[in-house]
Amino acid sequence: MNQGSAAKAFAPQDDEIDLGAIIDQLAENKWLILIVTLVTLSIGIFYASRQVPQYQSDVLLQIDSGQSGFGSTGPAAQQFLFRSAAAEATSSQIALMQSRFILEPVINKLGLDISVLPAKKSLWARWFSSTKNIIAVKQFEVPRSGMNQSYKLVVDKPGHVQLYNTKGSLLLQGNVGRKLLSKDKQISLQVGAKNAIVGSTFTLKKRSDLIVVKSLARQLKIEESGAKSRQSTGILELSLSGDDPAKIVQILNSIALEAQKKDAQKKSQEAAQTLEFLYHQLPITKGLLEKAESELNQYRAKSGKIDIKLQTQFLLNQLSDLDKQLGVLRISKIDMLQKYTALHPILIASETQIKALESQRDQLEARLKKLPASDQIAVNLMREVGVKKTLYLILLSKIQELEVVKAGTVSGVHVLAFASLPDAPLPNKSAIIYMASTLLGLILSVLLIMGRKLISPRVDDPHWGERQFNLANLAIIPYCKEQLQNAQKFKHGGVGKMPLLAHENPRNLSIESLRSLRTSLQVSITCAANNIITILGVSPGVGKSFVSANLAYLLAAGGKRVLLIDGDLRRGTLHKYMNVQPSPGVAEVINKTVTLEQAMVSTVHNNLSFLPRGAYPNDPSELLMSDDFKTLVNELSKQYDVVVIDTAPVLLVTDAVLIAALAGTNYLVLGAGAHQPADVEMVLKRLSGGHVKVQGTIFNFYRAETISRTYGQYGKYGKYGKYNTYYYEEIMKN
């Protein structure tokens, strides 16, 4: 990044999905995933335990595929009628059992249009209440304007109820078991058995039949056994599910009996209509028969011709048979026209058969015309008598048959097995609920992690500064568990000082990373304006002091005369690594209350000297801006090979910018996952505004838990707030 210009705005990285980074991110948040999943699973287990058991029962019916009419078609149509009758009868009954025709009487009989529910409670009360208030309403009638409206039913005292409307007006009251009427006689109520404590409130509603019919039709399942075999069996299975097994059985059996009853009524009505038609035709047919017989007798008396030839007799018999069949088919057709349209397949088949018989009759009549005239007259008269007589006998037979049918009509719906109470509830969906809640927990936790990353992105790539601001990454310091343990022991009073890791464990990987930084530093410092090095940080808790102390030690161990200065006059902690008191120090030297020699402290290495921060001043920024501080730093720069200055966080106070302006080399420490990109951008803008050039970055806590997870991401008081109190705690401690 060019420090002479403003820092570039944060730009998104390439669009490639780093699957490894996503897996690492999930692994880092494994405890969050586990906790969220356990919470959702616990909720799922509790929800499953509160589910009301569901029961299912069924009733088995057989639909008679025979036609309710009395007629019979000829042999040519029998096969077709047999195939279509069963499917037609079954489909009709299924449609009827899902319609108002059958369901509405069942609803009115069982009172399914009356809804009684406990008054609304809170979710907590509904889930955790152990008492159940139950009340049975036998009868509830309201005017049409009151349909689907809610009424409040209150058990005000033992065996006594009150009914209120939505406005809170009392409509009626009385004892349980008696039929109660309102003053205007428009509302009636009869409460049956109850299991409700005094003070219980219920919501009472009279629902319209149409709404209840639609609801019950949706719940009712009707399946035909063997329907997959492409041939209708006429056996139906009606099933219903719910939380009240006795009510389910009652509804199913009522539907079956109602369907049986309606079918019998329908057949009886058909028989009555047909009888009316036959009684009307009977005297007409009888008169025609008597007229035909009279004409035949008159011809015989006039002509003296009593017998006809054998061939003529055979022809007459054939014509009589055809006329008989045609008469039966035409009566059947008249009966079927009362049920079907002219385009129905049965009627089309019957019409085809009639035309075929008429064609045969025309052929016989043509043969008849070739006979002698006297024989033709005799045959026609005898044929007319035979036809009328046959029709008359058929009418008498059908009248007797239908009288029997009407007197004892048998329904075409047969109940093979009534519904019975189920032995056990349906298998619950606990396993599905458990799996769904676990999956939901995993999804929520992943969304939470990814959402937090999108909403509040963190710098966790060591080379991010190179891509965004052209800042070289000079060192990648891996997470050091030993340093964290040392810090925790010191914080909780387990040890008297903060161990200097470069001195205690020089083979640690973190120290090895700082050695590589020392190598590059020794080369770059020769080209710098001076030998002063400042260690800058975006925010607290990113390891500035750790880097400053250990880097200074490594430089001293490399043969350089090094001075380490604690430039954080607000909350410097370098004295803990050196096991000395923070005062006297820089603040006292600038205020000239002590000499430089009195404030200077020796360390564990002969080449390393240390200048503590001193007592907390009231005006740290003014001290650092003073000419005395600049003079002090310049004098010390001449006395030592390298001067390393630890500074306060740049994002919070301006102290670090004042010190960095005097240094020839400035390094910015970034904590993995500790900063938002906008914070780093703001820090670089602030340094650029103070004419401070940053030579590179030091990436600390790489691919591991940051120290912010132990001490809080931004300290006890949040990101920027109460920074004075943050330092005041350290003042009180010391």
Side-chain angles (χ1 to χ4, degrees):
M1 174 180 176
N2 186 359
Q3 297 294 322
S5 61
K8 293 192 301 180
F10 171 68
Q13 301 179 9
D14 51 14
D15 296 334
E16 295 182 1
I17 298 177
D18 189 352
L19 186 59
I22 294 177
I23 295 175
D24 290 341
Q25 187 77 12
L26 297 178
E28 286 184 15
N29 294 273
K30 57 182 179 295
W31 291 111
L32 174 64
I33 296 174
L34 180 60
I35 291 173
V36 173
T37 304
L38 288 177
V39 169
T40 56
L41 180 59
S42 301
I43 295 174
I45 293 173
F46 179 75
Y47 175 77
S49 66
R50 301 297 296 179
Q51 291 299 295
V52 178
Q54 296 293 306
Y55 298 86
Q56 180 175 335
S57 186
D58 56 75
V59 62
L60 200 62
L61 304 178
Q62 182 179 17
I63 309 303
D64 189 1
S65 60
Q67 299 299 306
S68 59
F70 58 88
S72 175
T73 58
Q78 288 296 328
Q79 188 176 1
F80 173 78
L81 295 177
F82 180 79
R83 289 197 302 264
S84 62
E88 182 181 353
T90 302
S91 300
S92 299
Q93 285 299 332
I94 291 176
L96 288 174
M97 284 186 285
Q98 292 178 324
S99 68
R100 296 179 59 188
F101 181 69
I102 290 178
L103 294 183
E104 190 170 317
V106 173
I107 290 170
N108 295 330
K109 177 183 176 182
L110 301 181
L112 301 180
D113 53 348
I114 302 175
S115 171
V116 186
L117 297 174
K120 291 183 178 180
K121 299 180 180 180
S122 64
L123 180 64
W124 180 271
R126 290 199 304 269
W127 280 23
F128 294 94
S129 177
S130 57
T131 60
K132 291 185 178 180
N133 293 330
I134 300 174
I135 194 166
V137 177
K138 291 184 177 180
Q139 181 183 356
F140 182 50
E141 299 295 337
V142 297
R144 192 170 187 82
S145 59
M147 299 290 287
N148 301 316
Q149 292 187 7
S150 297
Y151 295 84
K152 185 170 71 172
L153 183 63
V154 180
V155 181
D156 59 331
K157 55 186 177 181
H160 194 270
V161 294
Q162 294 178 330
L163 184 68
Y164 297 87
N165 59 13
T166 54
K167 298 180 180 179
S169 302
L170 179 63
L171 300 177
L172 54 83
Q173 61 179 338
N175 294 328
V176 172
R178 296 181 57 187
K179 185 176 181 180
L180 310 176
L181 292 174
S182 61
K183 293 181 179 180
D184 56 4
K185 309 282 187 180
Q186 292 186 350
I187 300 177
S188 64
L189 173 68
Q190 184 177 6
V191 178
K194 72 178 184 66
N195 184 22
I197 60 176
V198 176
S200 299
T201 303
F202 300 87
T203 300
L204 185 59
K205 184 183 294 185
K206 178 74 171 182
R207 298 184 294 173
S208 65
D209 291 343
L210 184 59
I211 295 176
V212 184
V213 165
K214 289 182 178 179
S215 176
L216 183 57
R218 285 194 299 267
Q219 299 175 32
L220 186 65
K221 296 181 180 179
I222 305 178
E223 296 181 354
E224 183 177 4
S225 300
K228 296 181 180 179
S229 62
R230 298 184 180 180
Q231 184 175 357
S232 178
T233 60
I235 298 178
L236 300 180
E237 181 181 359
L238 281 67
S239 60
L240 190 64
S241 302
D243 55 2
D244 189 345
K247 188 175 182 180
I248 293 171
V249 171
Q250 193 177 22
I251 293 174
L252 286 173
N253 290 336
S254 297
I255 292 175
L257 293 175
E258 189 67 27
Q260 193 177 48
K261 175 183 174 183
K262 292 289 186 181
D263 187 72
Q265 290 177 351
K266 180 183 176 184
K267 288 188 175 183
S268 178
Q269 184 179 6
E270 291 176 358
Q273 291 176 351
T274 306
L275 277 173
E276 183 180 357
F277 168 75
L278 292 178
Y279 277 123
H280 176 72
Q281 293 295 324
L282 185 62
I284 298 175
T285 306
K286 184 178 180 181
L288 293 175
L289 174 60
E290 291 175 349
K291 181 180 178 182
E293 288 178 343
S294 177
E295 290 177 351
L296 177 60
N297 292 333
Q298 290 176 5
Y299 175 76
R300 284 178 174 174
K302 180 179 179 180
S303 63
K305 193 175 184 65
I306 300 176
D307 297 326
I308 59 177
K309 297 179 181 180
L310 182 61
Q311 181 182 4
T312 304
Q313 182 65 44
F314 177 74
L315 187 60
L316 176 61
N317 292 338
Q318 286 184 305
L319 284 170
S320 298
D321 290 341
L322 287 176
D323 289 335
K324 181 179 179 180
Q325 293 180 35
L326 284 170
V328 172
L329 286 175
R330 283 167 179 161
I331 292 176
S332 244
K333 179 181 177 182
I334 293 172
D335 179 53
M336 287 186 290
L337 281 172
Q338 299 179 14
K339 307 173 190 176
Y340 312 116
T341 64
L343 298 178
H344 196 278
I346 296 178
L347 277 169
I348 294 175
S350 179
E351 185 66 29
T352 303
Q353 192 173 6
I354 290 173
K355 290 181 179 180
L357 293 177
E358 287 178 345
S359 177
Q360 294 180 25
R361 186 188 63 181
D362 292 340
Q363 293 176 6
L364 291 176
E365 287 179 345
R367 292 173 56 187
L368 180 62
K369 292 179 181 180
K370 297 178 180 180
L371 296 176
S374 60
D375 288 346
Q376 290 185 31
I377 295 173
V379 168
N380 286 332
L381 291 174
M382 294 175 67
R383 174 187 170 194
E384 187 71 20
V385 172
V387 170
K388 297 299 186 290
K389 188 175 183 179
T390 300
L391 289 177
Y392 182 72
L393 293 176
I394 290 174
L395 289 176
L396 287 176
S397 175
K398 292 304 178 184
I399 288 173
Q400 293 176 358
E401 179 183 341
L402 289 176
E403 288 289 356
V404 174
V405 170
K406 184 179 178 182
T409 302
V410 178
S411 174
V413 179
H414 307 286
V415 182
L416 301 181
F418 282 100
S420 59
L421 289 173
D423 297 330
L426 293 172
N428 55 29
K429 300 180 180 179
S430 299
I432 298 176
I433 295 175
Y434 300 156
M435 293 177 60
S437 57
T438 302
L439 182 60
L440 178 62
L442 294 174
I443 294 174
L444 286 178
S445 57
V446 171
L447 290 177
L448 181 63
I449 295 169
M450 298 305 173
R452 184 176 61 183
K453 188 176 181 64
L454 291 175
I455 296 173
S456 179
R458 300 289 168 178
V459 178
D460 53 7
D461 184 0
H463 304 290
W464 175 83
E466 296 178 353
R467 293 194 300 269
Q468 299 299 320
F469 304 107
N470 199 24
L471 284 176
N473 178 263
L474 302 176
I476 300 175
I477 304 175
Y479 169 75
C480 181
K481 187 175 181 180
E482 181 180 351
Q483 177 64 20
L484 180 61
Q485 292 173 347
N486 293 337
Q488 290 175 335
K489 289 179 181 179
F490 181 82
K491 180 179 180 180
H492 298 294
V495 295
K497 66 173 183 175
M498 176 77 76
L500 187 61
L501 192 61
H503 177 70
E504 299 290 338
N505 186 8
R507 296 297 181 184
N508 190 277
L509 290 178
S510 299
I511 302 304
E512 292 295 337
S513 300
L514 287 174
R515 283 194 176 93
S516 64
L517 176 63
R518 178 186 65 180
T519 302
S520 61
L521 174 62
Q522 289 176 341
V523 175
S524 61
I525 200 172
T526 58
C527 302
N530 54 48
N531 61 347
I532 302 173
I533 304 171
T534 59
I535 306 299
L536 307 170
V538 177
S539 59
V542 296
K544 293 184 293 73
S545 300
F546 170 79
V547 173
S548 300
N550 287 279
L551 178 62
Y553 182 89
L554 292 177
L555 288 170
K560 300 289 184 179
R561 294 178 59 252
V562 181
L563 172 62
L564 177 62
I565 301 176
D566 192 347
D568 187 355
L569 303 187
R570 300 174 186 266
R571 197 187 177 187
T573 58
L574 282 178
H575 61 278
K576 298 177 182 180
Y577 289 96
M578 305 305 168
N579 195 22
V580 297
Q581 294 298 319
S583 181
V586 175
E588 288 81 5
V589 173
I590 297 175
N591 289 325
K592 299 181 180 179
T593 57
V594 297
T595 63
L596 180 61
E597 290 75 13
Q598 292 175 332
M600 198 72 69
V601 177
S602 59
T603 64
V604 293
H605 200 286
N606 294 331
N607 289 340
L608 178 62
S609 300
F610 175 59
L611 182 60
R613 56 173 166 78
Y616 290 116
N618 294 327
D619 52 352
S621 297
E622 285 72 11
L623 289 179
L624 297 176
M625 289 178 62
S626 64
D627 294 336
D628 293 335
F629 177 71
K630 296 178 183 177
T631 302
L632 174 63
V633 171
N634 290 331
E635 289 179 357
L636 293 174
S637 175
K638 297 175 182 178
Q639 297 176 18
Y640 292 88
D641 296 332
V642 180
V643 177
V644 179
I645 306 177
D646 185 26
T647 62
V650 180
L651 195 61
L652 305 182
V653 292
T654 190
D655 300 3
V657 179
L658 299 175
I659 298 174
L662 305 176
T665 305
N666 299 291
Y667 293 146
L668 180 64
V669 178
L670 300 177
H675 315 296
Q676 294 185 8
D679 295 341
V680 180
E681 181 183 359
M682 186 179 296
V683 166
L684 294 176
K685 285 182 178 180
R686 185 171 295 179
L687 292 172
S688 178
H691 303 288
V692 176
K693 183 178 181 180
V694 178
Q695 277 69 34
T697 61
I698 302 172
F699 201 79
N700 199 11
F701 312 125
Y702 180 61
R703 289 193 184 277
E705 294 177 327
T706 62
I707 200 168
S708 63
R709 294 194 179 98
T710 302
Y711 297 103
Q713 191 166 345
Y714 292 102
K716 181 179 179 181
Y717 296 102
K719 187 174 180 180
Y720 302 122
K722 300 189 178 180
Y723 191 63
N724 290 333
T725 309
Y726 178 74
Y727 282 108
Y728 179 73
E729 291 180 353
E730 198 66 23
I731 296 173
M732 298 302 295
K733 184 186 293 186
N734 293 279

